[in-house]
């Protein structure tokens, strides 16, 4: 039976990808583990591997095609012993949004990335596959598998949230995701049809039409989505600007951080940290670094390296804060994972230092230098920038004294670090000049209450001001 090759979801946030290059051509033999194609995501270009053997019978999406939705059919593989021409002719039509053969099925909206379950592998990935089977006797043509078994409803977290907000009965929704799972577009379709909702109350007389169109509602939750493109452009003269199309990274940043501000209830805690002891220790440690034959030191510690280490240790000293929100539960971690914002042209990456609580300052420093270089070249692997419990965003090098940062989902906090500067403070009843750095922790109130967040910030401040504690 033919094997449908689908556009894979190479990251949890991926909704579309660019098919950059086919590394196999029609008629080529395919073995498990062979690299089939290169896919460009919003973050990087990745190779995807085959998981079945056979012959590449037909390529449906040519290389160079942009914005191919996740789960779209992109190629057909003839299984071993199968006639290649028959497989090419008998595969599912390109219009099938999830790649499965659907006789007489009507086109459906595209699947959301959160529902794509494509056997992705960190650092590369496997293509999404579906074998094309004849419909069982008595099955409805084109019908997707039922999303519930024995009363249990299988649905993505996003689909459940939308259903709750819109009053949609999931038990009456037919899923179109992998294995019949209900995904966001299924709930939205059910809402649009009104088939699974209680009858609406009689409406009052039609209100007068507004002179200006109201902002359109967002697809998920009905929250205002802001002004339309035409509405924004209408405020300005046509020759006053140039239009810059959004690339995949900027679209993802805009979407994810907008969702973060709408979904995660932020609150902020600010502390001033004295740096004098840290700066002296940093100078001593950098001076003691071994040098190679060319005189290059084995490491050169930055203030940010101390900040990363301090956040890692603070999380383990306040275990309840070393956690993230997971809809119906909290995930609490055994080790600290600290992301670090790295600015690049058009956006940013947030590579994650794993087990930051256990690593030495020199290891963190060298790891961050490698991450930063590969981030700017867009060579990071997905497992290097996904996950994490908290992040550090440092704008001190730009002279910024104080700012607040937006939490990067699914993390539960982010530390905004300002510039170190000389300030006059009172010590032992007398004025004294010390170097001070202002830091603000943004907290997700679903995970961290005020007292817990304050405990975490206090632990961080204590480590920064007594940095020898990071060496033992």
């Amino acid at each position: 039976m033919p094997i449908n090759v689908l556009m894979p979801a190479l990251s949890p946030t991926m909704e579309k990808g660019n098919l950059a290059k086919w590394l196999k051509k029609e008629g080529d033999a395919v073995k498990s583990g062979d690299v089939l194609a290169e896919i460009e995501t919003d973050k990087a270009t990745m190779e995807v591997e085959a998981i079945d053997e056979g012959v590449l019978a037909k390529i449906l999406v040519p290389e160079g095609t942009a914005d191919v939705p996740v789960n779209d059919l992109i190629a057909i593989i003839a299984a071993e012993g199968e006639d290649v021409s028959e497989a090419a002719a008998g595969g599912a039509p390109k219009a099938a949004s999830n790649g499965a053969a659907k006789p007489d099925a009507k086109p459906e909206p595209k699947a959301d990335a959160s529902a794509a379950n494509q056997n992705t592998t960190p650092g590369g990935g496997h293509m999404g596959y579906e074998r094309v089977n004849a419909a069982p006797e008595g099955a409805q043509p084109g019908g997707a598998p039922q999303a519930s078994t024995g009363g249990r409803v299988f649905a993505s977290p996003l689909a459940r949230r939308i259903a709750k907000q819109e009053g949609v009965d999931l038990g009456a929704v037919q899923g179109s995701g992998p294995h019949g799972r209900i995904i966001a577009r299924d709930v939205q379709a059910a809402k649009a049809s009104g088939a699974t909702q209680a009858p609406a109350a009689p409406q009052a007389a039609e209100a007068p039409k507004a002179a200006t169109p109201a902002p359109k509602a967002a697809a998920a939750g009905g929250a205002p989505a802001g002004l339309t493109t035409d509405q924004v452009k209408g405020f300005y003269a046509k020759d006053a600007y140039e239009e810059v199309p959004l690339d995949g990274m900027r679209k993802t940043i805009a979407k994810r951080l907008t969702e973060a501000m709408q979904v995660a209830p932020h609150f902020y805690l600010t502390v001033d940290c004295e740096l004098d002891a840290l700066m002296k220790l940093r100078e001593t440690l950098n001076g003691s670094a071994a040098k190679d034959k060319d005189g290059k030191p084995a490491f050169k510690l930055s203030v940010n390296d101390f900040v990363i280490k301090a956040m890692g240790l603070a999380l383990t000293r306040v275990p309840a804060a070393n956690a993230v929100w997971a809809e119906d539960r909290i995930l609490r971690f055994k080790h600290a994972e600290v992301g670090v914002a790295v600015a690049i042209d058009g956006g940013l990456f947030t590579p994650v230092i794993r087990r930051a609580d256990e690593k030495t300052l020199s290891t963190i420093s060298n790891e961050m230098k490698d991450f930063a270089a590969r981030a700017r070249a867009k060579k990071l692997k997905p497992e290097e920038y996904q996950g994490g419990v908290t992040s550090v965003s440092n704008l001190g090098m730009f002279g910024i004294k104080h700012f607040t940062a937006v939490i990067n989902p699914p993390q539960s906090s982010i530390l905004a670090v300002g510039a170190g500067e000389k300030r006059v403070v009172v010590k032992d009843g007398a004025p004294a000049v010390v170097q001070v750095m202002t830091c603000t922790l943004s907290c997700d109130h679903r995970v961290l209450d005020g007292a817990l967040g304050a405990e975490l910030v206090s632990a961080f401040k204590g480590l920064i001001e007594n940095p020898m504690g990071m060496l033992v």
Side-chain angles (χ1 to χ4, degrees):
M1 61 190 71
I3 302 165
N4 285 346
V5 183
L6 313 180
M7 170 60 76
L10 299 175
S11 75
T13 60
M14 178 176 166
E15 295 183 351
K16 296 180 180 179
N18 301 336
L19 211 160
K21 185 178 181 181
W22 281 105
L23 301 178
K24 294 283 188 180
K25 61 181 182 296
E26 291 183 359
D28 282 357
V30 174
K31 296 184 298 183
S32 178
D34 283 356
V35 178
L36 289 179
E38 291 181 353
I39 304 294
E40 292 179 352
T41 71
D42 58 326
K43 296 286 188 180
T45 299
M46 300 174 62
E47 295 179 339
V48 289
E49 300 175 356
I51 57 174
D52 277 298
E53 298 187 355
V55 174
L56 185 56
K58 190 172 184 63
I59 291 174
L60 296 172
V61 176
E63 62 182 43
T65 303
D67 293 335
V68 182
V70 165
N71 277 355
D72 259 20
L73 181 63
I74 60 176
I76 299 169
I77 292 176
E80 285 188 290
E82 188 173 15
D83 184 271
V84 174
S85 59
E86 288 184 5
K94 184 178 178 181
S97 63
N98 66 357
K102 293 190 175 183
D104 303 323
K106 295 181 181 179
E108 299 180 38
K110 303 301 182 186
D112 66 338
S114 66
N117 181 11
Q118 299 292 344
N119 256 351
T120 56
T121 300
H126 295 304
M127 284 289 190
Y129 284 79
E130 289 192 7
R131 294 187 181 272
V132 181
N133 297 297
E137 185 176 354
Q140 294 182 351
Q146 289 297 320
S148 60
T149 303
R152 182 181 176 188
V153 175
F154 296 94
S156 70
L158 178 59
R160 290 182 181 277
R161 186 162 69 247
I162 296 172
K164 183 177 180 180
Q165 291 170 340
E166 301 297 337
V168 174
D169 178 11
L170 285 176
V173 178
Q174 189 176 43
S176 65
H179 310 294
R181 191 183 190 205
I182 296 172
I183 56 179
R185 63 106 181 264
D186 302 323
V187 180
Q188 291 160 359
K191 174 180 176 290
S193 69
T196 59
Q197 293 177 289
Q203 294 184 344
E206 183 179 356
K209 293 185 178 179
T212 304
K216 59 184 178 181
L227 299 174
T228 66
T229 300
D230 289 340
Q231 286 171 333
V232 173
K233 290 167 66 175
F235 285 103
Y236 308 100
K238 291 183 178 179
D239 59 352
Y241 57 84
E242 63 172 320
E243 297 188 31
V244 181
L246 299 179
D247 60 14
M249 176 176 288
R250 180 51 56 188
K251 287 179 182 177
T252 299
I253 290 172
K255 180 178 179 181
R256 297 274 288 160
L257 296 188
T258 298
E259 289 175 351
M261 290 301 292
Q262 292 174 341
V263 174
H266 287 53
F267 71 92
Y268 309 95
L269 301 169
T270 300
V271 291
D272 289 333
C273 303
E274 295 185 14
L275 292 178
D276 291 344
L278 186 151
M279 299 304 286
K280 289 179 182 178
L281 178 61
R282 173 176 174 254
E283 183 179 2
T284 299
L285 293 175
N286 282 340
S288 68
K291 296 179 173 62
D292 61 18
K293 60 181 181 180
D294 299 322
K296 183 179 179 180
F299 59 86
K300 186 177 181 181
L301 303 179
S302 68
V303 172
N304 213 43
D305 299 327
F306 284 88
V307 170
I308 296 166
K309 177 69 174 180
M311 275 303 295
L313 287 173
L315 284 170
T316 56
R317 293 183 181 185
V318 188
N322 192 22
V324 300
W325 182 259
E327 292 301 328
D328 62 348
R329 68 202 66 194
I330 287 175
L331 307 182
R332 190 170 292 173
F333 294 86
K334 300 174 182 177
H335 295 280
E337 298 191 346
V338 181
V340 185
V342 176
I344 65 170
D345 288 342
L348 58 85
F349 278 95
T350 310
V352 179
I353 301 292
R354 312 289 178 184
R355 293 178 177 254
D357 53 312
E358 294 182 342
K359 290 179 177 174
T360 63
L361 286 161
S362 60
T363 298
I364 290 172
S365 179
N366 290 332
E367 200 169 308
M368 272 311 306
K369 287 180 174 64
D370 173 59
F371 277 156
R374 289 192 291 117
R376 295 184 181 105
K378 292 192 174 182
K379 296 294 184 182
L380 289 177
K381 300 174 182 177
E383 70 268 24
E384 293 175 322
Y385 57 78
Q386 291 174 1
V389 173
T390 191
S391 284
V392 171
S393 179
N394 192 335
L395 296 181
M397 67 287 294
F398 299 104
I400 302 300
K401 178 180 179 179
H402 169 258
F403 69 104
T404 58
V406 180
I407 296 169
N408 182 29
Q411 298 175 6
S412 60
S413 63
I414 184 170
L415 185 75
V417 180
E421 60 179 7
K422 296 288 186 181
R423 300 183 197 172
V424 178
V425 301
V426 176
K427 282 187 175 290
D428 300 324
V433 178
V434 297
Q435 192 161 1
V436 177
M437 174 178 71
T438 298
C439 298
T440 298
L441 185 71
S442 304
C443 302
D444 183 342
H445 215 320
R446 298 173 300 177
V447 181
L448 289 84
D449 293 324
L452 182 59
E455 190 178 351
L456 178 62
V457 172
S458 296
F460 168 80
K461 175 180 169 72
L463 287 160
I464 291 293
E465 294 186 341
N466 300 279
M468 288 297 292
M470 300 188 219
L471 306 182
V472 296

